[in-house]
Amino acid sequence: MSSKTYRIAALAGDGIGPEVMREALNVLRAIGTRFSLSFEITEAPVGWAGIDAAGKALPDATLELCRNSDSILFGSVGLPDRDPTIPKDQRPERAALLRIRKEFGLFANLRPVQLPKALAHACPLRPERQGDGIDILVVRELTGGMYFGQPKKTEDLGNGQQRAIDTMVYTTPEIERIAHVGFKAARLRRKKLTSIDKANVLENGVLWREVVTRVGKEYPDVALEHMFVDNGAMQLMLRPTQFDVVLCENMFGDILSDEAAALAGSLGMLPSASLGATSAEQTFGFYEPAGGTAPDIAGKDLANPIAQILSVALMLRYSFGLNAAADAVDAAVGKAIAQGLRTGDIHSATDAAARRVGTREMGAAIVAAI
Ligand code: NAD
């Protein structure tokens, strides 16, 4: 057994969070056994579970646990029937999620979109556009650009009219650090990076392209191409199989990552990673499914645990550099799908080989495949 112990804060949250987290932790433990890895998993309440247990969406003890951990595995938070009953700044998404993002300086968001051939029916594109399956990683800058640039205000023009101002601003170091995340991720994949910008119109786009090109020289094994964002949005629909890693600034990434996500057909299949500071050995990361708490199906053994389980794979790969273990999780998910197991969100009545299963059975099949 390797001497290192990986400390993981597991915050399941609300709605389907605890159900899918249970399966993800079973997978993590199975990986620990198979690869002789030591994981110290500590569970703590967050969201409404935090408010009920300790009066706050992010209880002090939960935040302290996160500070003392190597990474956070997160479920999801928020309940639409309870959220409106408390002030906005105390609601789970703001008080827990945004707080954690800020506290840990999470500047890079990674959203992989994988559509195995067996799930072609779940994709809105015609099969001939899906090739041998879609496999894209959107890397989005998370703390700069138009969403945070100053000045940001609405002015009264005095004649009954107003003027709204948002400022798009990036500095060289901000672009450099996200570019490194993108190129490193491409190295772990098919070694192609498409950098998205609007260099034909925006000063930010010109600087983005210059800096990404310069950083790219440090990664000669990764093929770099540049694409204007409007063309990128179109190409994602026309020929998604051309993409490996797609690198975007904050707002373009917000839009394109959702567009790419639609290709996978269900939120239940989509994990995400938000990365912070990197040390020589590991990167602090926050790993969560792309979807929310799905109150419509919570507590009914209906939720797809795959997004949460693939979040474990991302954590192993991007925080701990445990690529073989991450590959084993991805492969086990692939095997369960290939065996025909489908939760309701990815089930098609026309697929005769498919069998509808619940959260537990899907999780158990993935554990068995490890
Ligand atoms: P949602 O993502 O929870 O649900 C949208 C639809 O997708 C629902 O039909 C749901 O059943 C389905 N779905 C989502 N995950 C699924 C899974 N794993 N398996 C099967 N089906 C799945 O979005 P919503 O309904 O708009 O939001 C519900 C609550 O979640 C709200 O309180 C919202 O604020 C919160 N939310 C939290 C996060 C987060 O914690 N990061 C993200 C989004 C929404």
Side-chain angles (χ1 to χ4, degrees):
M1 174 169 308
S2 120
S3 57
K4 170 133 185 78
T5 294
Y6 299 93
R7 294 165 306 168
I8 295 149
L11 317 184
D14 308 315
I16 60 169
E19 297 167 66
V20 293
M21 181 66 83
R22 181 191 62 222
E23 303 307 322
L25 294 182
N26 285 341
V27 167
L28 186 58
R29 291 187 192 102
I31 285 289
T33 306
R34 172 166 162 200
F35 289 87
S36 297
L37 294 164
S38 164
F39 298 116
E40 184 185 301
I41 302 164
T42 312
E43 299 189 58
V46 72
W48 279 101
I51 295 172
D52 292 340
K56 269 185 181 179
L58 184 62
D60 297 345
T62 300
L63 180 58
E64 198 49 32
L65 168 71
C66 294
R67 288 194 183 119
N68 293 322
S69 299
D70 297 315
S71 269
I72 304 170
L73 187 62
F74 195 86
S76 29
V77 292
L79 295 171
D81 57 337
R82 294 186 71 185
D83 290 351
T85 63
I86 55 172
K88 277 201 176 98
D89 59 350
Q90 293 171 25
R91 291 181 197 167
E93 278 194 270
R94 196 172 289 196
L97 262 180
L98 296 187
R99 176 79 205 279
I100 288 176
R101 276 194 195 144
K102 209 164 164 208
E103 170 84 21
F104 295 99
L106 304 173
F107 68 90
N109 184 230
L110 276 58
R111 293 260 301 263
V113 175
Q114 275 168 319
L115 181 79
K117 247 186 136 29
L119 294 184
H121 63 83
C123 178
L125 295 188
R126 291 201 301 269
E128 62 267 29
R129 294 208 188 278
Q130 301 174 25
D132 291 331
I134 294 166
D135 184 2
I136 302 171
L137 175 68
V138 180
V139 175
R140 166 188 171 193
E141 203 287 331
L142 210 52
T143 55
M146 183 101 84
Y147 293 177
F148 296 97
Q150 294 295 333
K152 184 181 214 31
K153 59 182 174 180
T154 303
E155 293 173 342
D156 233 322
L157 294 178
N159 55 359
Q161 312 289 333
Q162 291 176 303
R163 176 167 64 180
I165 301 171
D166 294 285
T167 306
M168 189 172 193
V169 53
Y170 270 105
T171 60
T172 306
E174 284 175 307
I175 303 171
E176 280 171 352
R177 67 176 182 174
I178 191 72
H180 281 293
V181 172
F183 282 108
K184 282 181 185 154
R187 270 193 172 156
L188 293 173
R189 296 168 48 92
R190 301 191 304 280
K191 299 190 171 59
K192 178 177 177 190
L193 184 139
T194 305
S195 175
I196 300 289
D197 63 45
K198 191 73 181 164
N200 48 345
V201 180
L202 299 175
E203 291 294 317
N204 269 271
V206 174
L207 183 65
W208 182 273
R209 193 172 282 218
E210 273 174 24
V211 174
V212 171
T213 303
R214 195 164 66 234
V215 171
K217 301 226 179 332
E218 295 176 42
Y219 302 84
D221 51 325
V222 177
L224 167 64
E225 70 172 5
H226 300 279
M227 200 177 271
F228 295 137
V229 61
D230 43 347
N231 186 30
M234 199 167 68
Q235 292 298 326
L236 270 174
M237 291 299 111
L238 291 177
R239 210 161 58 81
T241 51
Q242 73 187 281
F243 294 105
D244 178 13
V245 173
V246 178
L247 176 69
C248 309
E249 63 86 42
N250 199 347
M251 183 172 65
F252 295 163
D254 189 5
I255 299 166
L256 292 193
S257 63
D258 270 19
E259 188 191 357
L263 298 170
S266 172
L267 280 172
M269 297 294 292
L270 291 166
S272 102
S274 299
L275 307 182
T278 301
S279 71
E281 276 187 1
Q282 59 191 41
T283 299
F284 190 89
F286 175 85
Y287 298 87
E288 61 174 336
T293 58
D296 52 332
I297 55 168
K300 298 178 182 163
D301 197 41
L302 289 174
N304 187 346
I306 289 179
Q308 190 79 58
I309 289 168
L310 291 177
S311 301
V312 167
L314 290 181
M315 179 175 74
L316 296 169
R317 196 182 303 282
Y318 290 103
S319 273
F320 305 147
L322 298 169
N323 296 329
D327 289 346
V329 176
D330 288 343
V333 169
K335 192 165 171 197
I337 301 266
Q339 284 166 347
L341 301 193
R342 304 281 186 272
T343 42
D345 57 311
I346 52 172
H347 183 255
S348 158
T350 57
D351 183 354
R355 187 163 69 80
R356 195 169 168 148
V357 298
T359 312
R360 282 179 187 278
E361 192 172 346
M362 181 63 96
I366 294 167
V367 167
I370 288 168

